[in-house]
Amino acid sequence: NIDAVLFDGHLDLLGDQEKLIRAIAATEKPLVTVYIAGRPLNMNLASEVSDALLTAWYPGEQGGNGIVDVLTGEYNPSGRLPMSVPRHVGQIPVHYSQGTLRDYMDCPGKPLYTFGYGLSYTTFAYSNLRLSAETISDTDTLTATVTVKNTGSRTGKTVVQLYVGDPESTVFRPVRELKDFAKVELQPGESRDVTFTLDKRAFAYWNEEIQDWHVESGEFTIEVGQSSRNMECSASVYVMSTVKL
């Protein structure tokens, strides 16, 4: 059971656990590291020396059986990280005077593992992202459809993630924001269209002046990928605001 001490300003493993990892890696035998924890930890060493790395979170009473099923290939994993794993505490989002860093997307340097990241015993490809319109108003809905294909040799699931970005925003916003996602299961070689429906909230930010969600007129990016830093398809739409401040 691995835990971290945030109270001392670090994410280091407790006790001699890093020494244990180094000692096993020194044998030059295949090494699989399983993290059992409920928050990001220092995974730099394990990521560097391990042949495989599994984050099991707090798996519960039958967790051991579940871990064995994943490691032996009995079950094809499809989980994704609900947070980013930093390389060091300096990458953890903090407050600045000119705004708030809400995501590792806005931090210097790439995290060790990004939000939404996850591997499988098969592979997937996303293509042909198409939008239902090039221009909409903030009272309309927009549909985005992408084709997903299982390009590997095993049946598996993937989590299709849709992000929206506002590069012309006059207020501070993250580079991209997760607005919807869908998990699909595909046979080897199988393709399927996945469709998302976006309404005003997908493009809006909370405006304190009017105490309501507000959309600024402008070009928005629609991106689909397998993690927050792995975009495979992109398109753009112009959204017109019906509210004048």
Side-chain angles (χ1 to χ4, degrees):
N1 189 5
I2 300 176
D3 213 339
V5 180
L6 287 171
F7 311 105
D8 294 332
H10 64 79
L11 298 172
D12 295 342
L13 305 184
L14 296 180
D16 294 329
Q17 294 179 95
E18 279 207 5
K19 291 182 180 179
L20 175 62
I21 294 175
R22 292 184 186 276
I24 298 175
T27 67
E28 298 185 353
K29 294 181 180 180
L31 171 61
V32 175
T33 303
V34 179
Y35 277 74
I36 299 178
R39 57 190 177 211
L41 303 174
N42 188 338
M43 295 185 178
N44 293 285
L45 173 62
S47 178
E48 178 182 343
V49 302
S50 301
D51 296 276
L53 185 62
L54 174 65
T55 299
W57 304 104
Y58 289 142
E61 184 177 350
Q62 292 297 315
N65 292 328
I67 291 171
V68 170
D69 287 345
V70 169
L71 294 180
T72 60
E74 182 70 21
Y75 176 79
N76 191 357
S78 57
R80 298 303 177 100
L81 285 175
M83 62 190 76
S84 293
V85 177
R87 296 181 183 274
H88 50 78
V89 293
Q91 287 188 319
I92 297 176
V94 295
H95 293 274
Y96 288 103
S97 59
Q98 67 266 36
T100 302
L101 294 179
R102 299 185 180 90
D103 192 292
Y104 290 83
M105 293 298 303
D106 304 301
C107 291
K110 184 179 179 180
L112 185 62
Y113 298 108
T114 61
F115 173 86
Y117 176 82
L119 295 179
S120 167
Y121 290 133
T122 188
T123 55
F124 299 90
Y126 301 171
S127 62
N128 194 24
L129 174 62
R130 56 265 193 206
L131 307 180
S132 59
E134 297 181 353
T135 302
I136 63 171
S137 71
D138 61 7
T139 57
D140 297 329
T141 57
L142 177 77
T143 60
T145 303
V146 64
T147 301
V148 183
K149 182 178 181 179
N150 184 338
T151 56
S153 59
R154 285 195 55 171
T155 299
K157 300 176 183 178
T158 185
V159 181
V160 187
Q161 302 166 41
L162 184 142
Y163 295 82
V164 174
D166 184 3
E168 302 175 357
S169 177
T170 61
V171 299
F172 178 85
R173 301 186 69 169
V175 176
R176 61 179 63 94
E177 302 173 43
L178 179 70
K179 293 301 180 180
D180 206 349
F181 62 91
K183 177 175 282 190
V184 293
E185 182 175 12
L186 299 172
Q187 304 291 325
E190 181 184 3
S191 297
R192 186 181 305 170
D193 285 345
V194 177
T195 299
F196 301 96
T197 300
L198 306 176
D199 58 14
K200 175 181 177 179
R201 284 289 297 274
F203 308 97
Y205 71 94
W206 180 257
N207 187 301
E208 295 183 357
E209 179 183 349
I210 63 175
Q211 289 293 295
D212 197 4
W213 293 97
H214 177 66
V215 177
E216 288 187 302
S217 294
E219 199 88 13
F220 288 79
T221 58
I222 310 295
E223 298 176 292
V224 177
Q226 302 194 47
S227 76
S228 61
R229 290 200 183 217
N230 181 13
M231 298 296 109
E232 298 201 17
C233 301
S234 64
S236 61
V237 60
Y238 190 90
V239 183
M240 297 180 295
S241 177
T242 58
V243 177
K244 292 185 178 180
L245 300 182

